[in-house]
Amino acid sequence: MTSVAAQPLGPGDDPVPERLRALGIRPHAALYLTEPVRGAIDRAALPLAAPWLAAAPSGDGHGVLVLPGLLASDRSTKPLRRFLRRKGYYVRGWRLGRNIGPTATVMETMPGALCDLVERTGGPVTVVGWSLGGLYARYLARRHPAYVRGVVTLGSPVGVADGHRTHADRAFERLSFLHARGPDVPRRGDVGGPVPVPSTSVYSRLDGVVAWRACLAEGDWHENVEVHCSHLGFGFDPATLWLLADRLAQPAGQWRPFAPPRLLRPLYPSCAPRR
């Protein structure tokens, strides 16, 4: 789970235009309260999808850095990372324990982890971020575009720059006394800005933590792709994993919008052909 990745967060620090206030509505309480159960169901469905996930595109072995969401650790992304390794990528987690927000340690260590992975694999890497991890991923792409090949975010609230709110805001704000300050920490207005590399934002209307509209972004090399899963299920959802395999398998410098196989189109409502 996640919220905006930087200070200032107070309402007086960054006033939201009246026309955008309606966008700040959080997901319905029923979606939020059923997140644990629905997340468990999403995870239970993963083994059943193993046969067709085995047919998902394989990659070229480039590096992939995977960043967890708020209050989560590398343990939460283990199934996702295992899947990507099986597809032929050199994958590493963030190795910083539980994600409690943009602390000084996080802001100082993430660029080093990115550079280390680039050196180990001999080229730019893809950064995959789940929720708050996705905001980190976009931050890294803006600060170090030569090291980042592409970005994929999973249920990440890039729309907080436009006044969106999430059900994780309180947890994030309770931890804010631990967060870094200064010019190198992204502010609210930076979160939704475009990134200079190909990027994909994966969102779900069933997300009980982050409103799906808050996950939408824009950019010349950006796409928003819808799936059907809970917020806690992004790392296990078969459709999300297939999408990841497809996006990562693209040759460097040859980005194209996601086009799922015909039989899988029902899993991606935003990719359905228009009549």
Side-chain angles (χ1 to χ4, degrees):
M1 297 186 294
T2 189
S3 178
V4 62
Q7 299 291 334
L9 295 175
D13 295 318
D14 191 14
V16 178
E18 187 65 32
R19 64 184 178 83
L20 296 175
R21 291 190 185 279
L23 299 178
I25 299 175
R26 297 178 176 88
H28 193 280
L31 288 176
Y32 177 61
L33 294 174
T34 57
E35 270 288 337
V37 173
R38 293 187 295 114
I41 293 173
D42 289 330
R43 183 162 191 162
L46 184 55
L48 302 177
W52 63 270
L53 281 176
S58 296
D60 57 4
H62 75 266
V64 182
L65 178 62
V66 181
L67 308 176
L70 181 65
L71 300 181
S73 66
D74 283 332
R75 183 178 179 180
S76 68
T77 64
K78 188 174 181 179
L80 186 157
R81 288 182 285 119
R82 183 188 302 120
F83 170 74
L84 294 181
R85 287 193 183 100
R86 289 174 178 170
K87 288 301 169 183
Y89 299 98
Y90 189 102
V91 187
R92 64 158 285 177
W94 84 326
R95 303 176 186 175
L96 287 171
R98 192 172 296 278
N99 184 356
I100 58 174
T103 64
T105 298
V106 167
M107 302 309 295
E108 293 170 1
T109 305
M110 281 196 305
L114 176 67
C115 295
D116 177 69
L117 190 54
V118 169
E119 291 178 358
R120 288 177 178 272
T121 58
V125 307
T126 298
V127 187
V128 178
W130 187 349
S131 204
L132 175 58
L135 302 188
Y136 293 160
R138 292 172 66 87
Y139 168 78
L140 289 173
R142 284 194 290 267
R143 293 298 298 269
H144 307 281
Y147 293 161
V148 179
R149 171 170 170 161
V151 169
V152 181
T153 61
L154 312 178
S156 298
V158 296
V160 291
D162 291 333
H164 289 88
R165 296 295 181 267
T166 79
H167 279 298
D169 286 345
R170 289 184 180 179
F172 185 89
E173 290 165 3
R174 282 198 297 268
L175 296 167
S176 63
F177 71 98
L178 297 171
H179 298 167
R181 303 290 191 273
D184 291 333
V185 179
R187 299 169 68 87
R188 184 189 298 274
D190 300 328
V191 171
V195 295
V197 299
S199 60
T200 300
S201 176
V202 187
Y203 68 94
S204 171
R205 294 174 190 248
L206 300 178
D207 191 323
V209 178
V210 179
W212 67 270
R213 290 182 180 86
C215 299
L216 306 183
E218 298 179 350
D220 293 338
W221 299 325
H222 180 82
E223 61 185 345
N224 302 301
V225 181
E226 181 182 358
V227 296
H228 299 291
C229 70
S230 65
H231 187 82
L232 298 179
F234 277 112
F236 320 108
D237 175 52
T240 300
L241 296 183
W242 180 286
L243 168 64
L244 272 172
D246 179 273
R247 299 293 79 193
L248 269 61
Q250 296 180 103
Q254 298 182 32
W255 183 84
R256 66 187 188 285
F258 178 59
R262 183 179 299 273
L263 292 178
L264 298 184
R265 285 179 184 172
L267 301 177
Y268 307 98
S270 61
C271 298
R274 296 181 179 179
R275 296 182 180 180

